[in-house]
Amino acid sequence: MNVVPGYLLGLVVTGHLDAAQVFLGKDNPWWLVLSACALIGPLYALFKVLQWSSRNWSTHPIAESLSVFCNNNTTWLAVAADINIEFRRIDKICFDTNSITKIVATDNWIIKVTPYTLYFAHQSDTALIVNKSDTHALSLHSRGEVQYVNIEVILARSGAKSFNIRLNALGFKDLQDKISRPITILNSVVFHRTLLERFIDTFKEQIAQNPVYETAQELEQCVGCMQAISNVKLNKLCSDGNQTPEACVSCFCRPMWCVDCLAKWFASRQDDTAPETWLSSKCTCPVCRAKFCLLDVYAHPVDHDDDITKNVILRKTQLVIYSSILNFTIITTKEEILGE
């Protein structure tokens, strides 16, 4: 019979079975061994509870982890009370890294909760290093993907255990804003901190597959950031018809935007609750309001050396203007002083 011994113990306690027949019967010589094995777990758990409860639970593994952070002859209870106060505040942030692990960040503490262990780190003596990132496709039939970063939490306090945090890359910025300590990112680690950064890179990859726009006119600074050269042009290329109001139309504006600013504009006009539809959605030109999609964005090749030269000329022009304003201010001030 393949019956759980605990079930039989319950029947014996309730009087439905004879204990002597079950445990000492000649027909079931193994029941005594199985029953003893079934009692080992509960008895060991009871023994550990009694052991940990001695000396006001100071020998409990969580209490021993908290005692590492005691200062000025304080006890682990004072540290626990401090963590409890911060944990009860509404400004804490929580990340469910998986179905059984959670990360909690308060004003001064970082806590990793696992099924059997709690890890604590006080931000004042903690170093955080992003040492790895990995990307996984959400589906074999879609372009969606998710990116994770691995953060190593190193504690300088003696006796404290270091641990790792595996976090969705989109939640990294929230953690970085909450943590008072700087988070070091290794040079070899590249990831998208926000959904917008991820979309901009994907936007560039998509329009790189479109035809290149050639023009003889001199390209000016992007009207959005006033730093980069305008390197994209809107021109209807998709096969979308003109029968509906939502169809793409031709845009006759000259190149006025850089690819980063146009990607930000495109993302700002989309539904924030459905980022998976952004690439297949449409947007309007910031100037003429002509509707376009990603297939209608032409990339213009910009000579890097020419771009640098224009930036240098722009900086020199700005310096000349600032110098002229400064000289005019000094001369005016001298005339006012002499006039008095």
mmCIF file of all heavy atoms in Angstrom, residues 112-141:
data_model
loop_
_atom_site.group_PDB
_atom_site.id
_atom_site.type_symbol
_atom_site.label_atom_id
_atom_site.label_comp_id
_atom_site.label_asym_id
_atom_site.label_seq_id
_atom_site.Cartn_x
_atom_site.Cartn_y
_atom_site.Cartn_z
ATOM 1 N N LYS A 112 16.591 41.783 -0.238
ATOM 2 C CA LYS A 112 16.256 40.731 -1.197
ATOM 3 C C LYS A 112 15.538 39.615 -0.454
ATOM 4 O O LYS A 112 16.080 39.049 0.499
ATOM 5 C CB LYS A 112 17.516 40.195 -1.875
ATOM 6 C CG LYS A 112 17.236 39.100 -2.900
ATOM 7 C CD LYS A 112 18.507 38.615 -3.573
ATOM 8 C CE LYS A 112 18.219 37.529 -4.593
ATOM 9 N NZ LYS A 112 19.459 37.038 -5.252
ATOM 10 N N VAL A 113 14.321 39.320 -0.897
ATOM 11 C CA VAL A 113 13.477 38.328 -0.239
ATOM 12 C C VAL A 113 13.436 37.086 -1.111
ATOM 13 O O VAL A 113 13.017 37.137 -2.272
ATOM 14 C CB VAL A 113 12.053 38.864 -0.015
ATOM 15 C CG1 VAL A 113 11.213 37.844 0.749
ATOM 16 C CG2 VAL A 113 12.089 40.196 0.733
ATOM 17 N N THR A 114 13.879 35.967 -0.575
ATOM 18 C CA THR A 114 13.818 34.672 -1.239
ATOM 19 C C THR A 114 12.996 33.719 -0.379
ATOM 20 O O THR A 114 12.677 34.038 0.773
ATOM 21 C CB THR A 114 15.236 34.105 -1.464
ATOM 22 O OG1 THR A 114 15.849 33.847 -0.193
ATOM 23 C CG2 THR A 114 16.103 35.088 -2.242
ATOM 24 N N PRO A 115 12.636 32.546 -0.891
ATOM 25 C CA PRO A 115 11.789 31.638 -0.092
ATOM 26 C C PRO A 115 12.398 31.239 1.249
ATOM 27 O O PRO A 115 11.658 31.002 2.213
ATOM 28 C CB PRO A 115 11.621 30.417 -1.008
ATOM 29 C CG PRO A 115 11.808 30.955 -2.386
ATOM 30 C CD PRO A 115 12.817 32.052 -2.262
ATOM 31 N N TYR A 116 13.715 31.137 1.352
ATOM 32 C CA TYR A 116 14.331 30.640 2.581
ATOM 33 C C TYR A 116 15.326 31.612 3.214
ATOM 34 O O TYR A 116 15.823 31.343 4.303
ATOM 35 C CB TYR A 116 15.054 29.318 2.302
ATOM 36 C CG TYR A 116 14.166 28.261 1.706
ATOM 37 C CD1 TYR A 116 14.268 27.921 0.372
ATOM 38 C CD2 TYR A 116 13.208 27.608 2.484
ATOM 39 C CE1 TYR A 116 13.444 26.951 -0.189
ATOM 40 C CE2 TYR A 116 12.381 26.640 1.939
ATOM 41 C CZ TYR A 116 12.506 26.318 0.601
ATOM 42 O OH TYR A 116 11.690 25.368 0.053
ATOM 43 N N THR A 117 15.633 32.722 2.543
ATOM 44 C CA THR A 117 16.658 33.621 3.064
ATOM 45 C C THR A 117 16.271 35.068 2.806
ATOM 46 O O THR A 117 15.621 35.379 1.807
ATOM 47 C CB THR A 117 18.027 33.339 2.386
ATOM 48 O OG1 THR A 117 18.295 31.946 2.429
ATOM 49 C CG2 THR A 117 19.141 34.093 3.090
ATOM 50 N N LEU A 118 16.687 35.928 3.733
ATOM 51 C CA LEU A 118 16.564 37.374 3.563
ATOM 52 C C LEU A 118 17.967 37.980 3.519
ATOM 53 O O LEU A 118 18.798 37.682 4.382
ATOM 54 C CB LEU A 118 15.770 37.987 4.711
ATOM 55 C CG LEU A 118 14.256 37.765 4.734
ATOM 56 C CD1 LEU A 118 13.663 38.386 5.989
ATOM 57 C CD2 LEU A 118 13.611 38.355 3.504
ATOM 58 N N TYR A 119 18.213 38.820 2.513
ATOM 59 C CA TYR A 119 19.494 39.513 2.393
ATOM 60 C C TYR A 119 19.257 40.996 2.656
ATOM 61 O O TYR A 119 18.314 41.589 2.116
ATOM 62 C CB TYR A 119 20.098 39.314 1.007
ATOM 63 C CG TYR A 119 20.443 37.881 0.678
ATOM 64 C CD1 TYR A 119 19.532 37.056 0.029
ATOM 65 C CD2 TYR A 119 21.683 37.353 1.024
ATOM 66 C CE1 TYR A 119 19.848 35.742 -0.274
ATOM 67 C CE2 TYR A 119 22.004 36.035 0.728
ATOM 68 C CZ TYR A 119 21.083 35.235 0.075
ATOM 69 O OH TYR A 119 21.394 33.936 -0.219
ATOM 70 N N PHE A 120 20.137 41.592 3.462
ATOM 71 C CA PHE A 120 20.017 42.991 3.822
ATOM 72 C C PHE A 120 21.287 43.730 3.407
ATOM 73 O O PHE A 120 22.390 43.187 3.494
ATOM 74 C CB PHE A 120 19.795 43.165 5.329
ATOM 75 C CG PHE A 120 18.586 42.466 5.858
ATOM 76 C CD1 PHE A 120 18.676 41.178 6.379
ATOM 77 C CD2 PHE A 120 17.339 43.081 5.826
ATOM 78 C CE1 PHE A 120 17.566 40.527 6.867
ATOM 79 C CE2 PHE A 120 16.222 42.426 6.320
ATOM 80 C CZ PHE A 120 16.330 41.149 6.838
ATOM 81 N N ALA A 121 21.104 44.971 2.981
ATOM 82 C CA ALA A 121 22.243 45.825 2.637
ATOM 83 C C ALA A 121 21.893 47.261 2.999
ATOM 84 O O ALA A 121 20.847 47.777 2.559
ATOM 85 C CB ALA A 121 22.595 45.715 1.158
ATOM 86 N N HIS A 122 22.737 47.884 3.812
ATOM 87 C CA HIS A 122 22.556 49.297 4.139
ATOM 88 C C HIS A 122 23.271 50.117 3.073
ATOM 89 O O HIS A 122 24.440 49.888 2.759
ATOM 90 C CB HIS A 122 23.111 49.614 5.527
ATOM 91 C CG HIS A 122 22.602 50.900 6.085
ATOM 92 N ND1 HIS A 122 23.173 52.122 5.783
ATOM 93 C CD2 HIS A 122 21.559 51.165 6.916
ATOM 94 C CE1 HIS A 122 22.513 53.081 6.412
ATOM 95 N NE2 HIS A 122 21.528 52.531 7.110
ATOM 96 N N GLN A 123 22.581 51.090 2.517
ATOM 97 C CA GLN A 123 23.115 51.819 1.370
ATOM 98 C C GLN A 123 24.381 52.605 1.697
ATOM 99 O O GLN A 123 25.184 52.877 0.801
ATOM 100 C CB GLN A 123 22.049 52.760 0.817
ATOM 101 C CG GLN A 123 20.811 52.053 0.299
ATOM 102 C CD GLN A 123 19.814 53.016 -0.309
ATOM 103 O OE1 GLN A 123 20.177 54.089 -0.788
ATOM 104 N NE2 GLN A 123 18.542 52.658 -0.284
ATOM 105 N N SER A 124 24.577 52.947 2.951
ATOM 106 C CA SER A 124 25.737 53.769 3.310
ATOM 107 C C SER A 124 27.056 53.041 3.114
ATOM 108 O O SER A 124 28.094 53.683 2.907
ATOM 109 C CB SER A 124 25.614 54.249 4.757
ATOM 110 O OG SER A 124 25.598 53.129 5.645
ATOM 111 N N ASP A 125 27.060 51.719 3.210
ATOM 112 C CA ASP A 125 28.308 50.955 3.062
ATOM 113 C C ASP A 125 28.148 49.858 2.013
ATOM 114 O O ASP A 125 28.573 48.728 2.208
ATOM 115 C CB ASP A 125 28.733 50.347 4.399
ATOM 116 C CG ASP A 125 27.611 49.594 5.090
ATOM 117 O OD1 ASP A 125 26.590 49.312 4.420
ATOM 118 O OD2 ASP A 125 27.745 49.293 6.281
ATOM 119 N N THR A 126 27.501 50.228 0.917
ATOM 120 C CA THR A 126 27.217 49.256 -0.144
ATOM 121 C C THR A 126 27.668 49.800 -1.488
ATOM 122 O O THR A 126 27.513 50.991 -1.769
ATOM 123 C CB THR A 126 25.712 48.932 -0.202
ATOM 124 O OG1 THR A 126 25.301 48.401 1.060
ATOM 125 C CG2 THR A 126 25.413 47.940 -1.297
ATOM 126 N N ALA A 127 28.256 48.937 -2.298
ATOM 127 C CA ALA A 127 28.623 49.266 -3.677
ATOM 128 C C ALA A 127 27.796 48.406 -4.620
ATOM 129 O O ALA A 127 27.667 47.197 -4.418
ATOM 130 C CB ALA A 127 30.109 49.028 -3.907
ATOM 131 N N LEU A 128 27.219 49.042 -5.641
ATOM 132 C CA LEU A 128 26.390 48.325 -6.607
ATOM 133 C C LEU A 128 27.054 48.395 -7.976
ATOM 134 O O LEU A 128 27.397 49.490 -8.448
ATOM 135 C CB LEU A 128 24.979 48.911 -6.676
ATOM 136 C CG LEU A 128 24.110 48.735 -5.417
ATOM 137 C CD1 LEU A 128 24.253 49.954 -4.506
ATOM 138 C CD2 LEU A 128 22.652 48.528 -5.773
ATOM 139 N N ILE A 129 27.227 47.250 -8.605
ATOM 140 C CA ILE A 129 27.930 47.163 -9.889
ATOM 141 C C ILE A 129 27.069 46.353 -10.848
ATOM 142 O O ILE A 129 26.687 45.216 -10.555
ATOM 143 C CB ILE A 129 29.311 46.498 -9.732
ATOM 144 C CG1 ILE A 129 30.166 47.283 -8.733
ATOM 145 C CG2 ILE A 129 30.012 46.386 -11.073
ATOM 146 C CD1 ILE A 129 31.509 46.630 -8.443
ATOM 147 N N VAL A 130 26.778 46.936 -12.012
ATOM 148 C CA VAL A 130 26.090 46.211 -13.076
ATOM 149 C C VAL A 130 27.154 45.481 -13.884
ATOM 150 O O VAL A 130 27.938 46.101 -14.602
ATOM 151 C CB VAL A 130 25.282 47.161 -13.968
ATOM 152 C CG1 VAL A 130 24.567 46.387 -15.071
ATOM 153 C CG2 VAL A 130 24.275 47.943 -13.144
ATOM 154 N N ASN A 131 27.198 44.158 -13.759
ATOM 155 C CA ASN A 131 28.275 43.385 -14.383
ATOM 156 C C ASN A 131 27.828 42.524 -15.552
ATOM 157 O O ASN A 131 28.662 41.915 -16.222
ATOM 158 C CB ASN A 131 28.943 42.481 -13.342
ATOM 159 C CG ASN A 131 27.951 41.583 -12.622
ATOM 160 O OD1 ASN A 131 26.820 41.388 -13.075
ATOM 161 N ND2 ASN A 131 28.362 41.028 -11.484
ATOM 162 N N LYS A 132 26.516 42.481 -15.832
ATOM 163 C CA LYS A 132 26.070 41.628 -16.937
ATOM 164 C C LYS A 132 24.676 42.040 -17.369
ATOM 165 O O LYS A 132 23.874 42.516 -16.569
ATOM 166 C CB LYS A 132 26.080 40.163 -16.499
ATOM 167 C CG LYS A 132 25.758 39.174 -17.615
ATOM 168 C CD LYS A 132 25.891 37.730 -17.124
ATOM 169 C CE LYS A 132 24.872 37.411 -16.057
ATOM 170 N NZ LYS A 132 24.899 35.977 -15.656
ATOM 171 N N SER A 133 24.381 41.862 -18.642
ATOM 172 C CA SER A 133 23.040 42.065 -19.187
ATOM 173 C C SER A 133 22.769 40.982 -20.219
ATOM 174 O O SER A 133 23.687 40.520 -20.907
ATOM 175 C CB SER A 133 22.900 43.454 -19.814
ATOM 176 O OG SER A 133 23.726 43.577 -20.956
ATOM 177 N N ASP A 134 21.522 40.584 -20.326
ATOM 178 C CA ASP A 134 21.145 39.572 -21.302
ATOM 179 C C ASP A 134 19.768 39.894 -21.846
ATOM 180 O O ASP A 134 18.917 40.443 -21.150
ATOM 181 C CB ASP A 134 21.175 38.173 -20.687
ATOM 182 C CG ASP A 134 20.385 38.089 -19.395
ATOM 183 O OD1 ASP A 134 20.905 38.533 -18.346
ATOM 184 O OD2 ASP A 134 19.254 37.595 -19.439
ATOM 185 N N THR A 135 19.565 39.545 -23.111
ATOM 186 C CA THR A 135 18.329 39.847 -23.821
ATOM 187 C C THR A 135 17.666 38.547 -24.253
ATOM 188 O O THR A 135 18.335 37.630 -24.724
ATOM 189 C CB THR A 135 18.605 40.729 -25.039
ATOM 190 O OG1 THR A 135 19.314 41.907 -24.624
ATOM 191 C CG2 THR A 135 17.311 41.148 -25.709
ATOM 192 N N HIS A 136 16.336 38.490 -24.099
ATOM 193 C CA HIS A 136 15.586 37.295 -24.456
ATOM 194 C C HIS A 136 14.373 37.695 -25.290
ATOM 195 O O HIS A 136 13.726 38.711 -25.007
ATOM 196 C CB HIS A 136 15.124 36.551 -23.200
ATOM 197 C CG HIS A 136 16.231 36.190 -22.267
ATOM 198 N ND1 HIS A 136 16.986 35.052 -22.398
ATOM 199 C CD2 HIS A 136 16.739 36.842 -21.176
ATOM 200 C CE1 HIS A 136 17.893 34.992 -21.450
ATOM 201 N NE2 HIS A 136 17.763 36.076 -20.688
ATOM 202 N N ALA A 137 14.105 36.913 -26.316
ATOM 203 C CA ALA A 137 12.937 37.152 -27.156
ATOM 204 C C ALA A 137 11.680 36.679 -26.438
ATOM 205 O O ALA A 137 11.666 35.608 -25.824
ATOM 206 C CB ALA A 137 13.086 36.426 -28.486
ATOM 207 N N LEU A 138 10.626 37.492 -26.517
ATOM 208 C CA LEU A 138 9.369 37.120 -25.881
ATOM 209 C C LEU A 138 8.687 35.988 -26.633
ATOM 210 O O LEU A 138 8.021 35.147 -26.041
ATOM 211 C CB LEU A 138 8.439 38.335 -25.814
ATOM 212 C CG LEU A 138 8.899 39.485 -24.921
ATOM 213 C CD1 LEU A 138 7.920 40.638 -25.016
ATOM 214 C CD2 LEU A 138 9.035 39.037 -23.472
ATOM 215 N N SER A 139 8.877 35.953 -27.943
ATOM 216 C CA SER A 139 8.259 34.927 -28.759
ATOM 217 C C SER A 139 9.078 34.728 -30.018
ATOM 218 O O SER A 139 9.736 35.662 -30.502
ATOM 219 C CB SER A 139 6.817 35.305 -29.113
ATOM 220 O OG SER A 139 6.258 34.381 -30.034
ATOM 221 N N LEU A 140 9.036 33.518 -30.556
ATOM 222 C CA LEU A 140 9.752 33.236 -31.802
ATOM 223 C C LEU A 140 9.083 33.881 -33.001
ATOM 224 O O LEU A 140 9.707 34.045 -34.053
ATOM 225 C CB LEU A 140 9.830 31.716 -32.015
ATOM 226 C CG LEU A 140 10.628 30.920 -30.973
ATOM 227 C CD1 LEU A 140 10.527 29.431 -31.264
ATOM 228 C CD2 LEU A 140 12.080 31.373 -30.951
ATOM 229 N N HIS A 141 7.821 34.276 -32.854
ATOM 230 C CA HIS A 141 7.055 34.816 -33.973
ATOM 231 C C HIS A 141 6.836 36.314 -33.858
ATOM 232 O O HIS A 141 6.064 36.880 -34.636
ATOM 233 C CB HIS A 141 5.696 34.107 -34.069
ATOM 234 C CG HIS A 141 5.808 32.617 -34.104
ATOM 235 N ND1 HIS A 141 6.258 31.929 -35.215
ATOM 236 C CD2 HIS A 141 5.545 31.678 -33.157
ATOM 237 C CE1 HIS A 141 6.250 30.632 -34.970
ATOM 238 N NE2 HIS A 141 5.824 30.443 -33.720
#
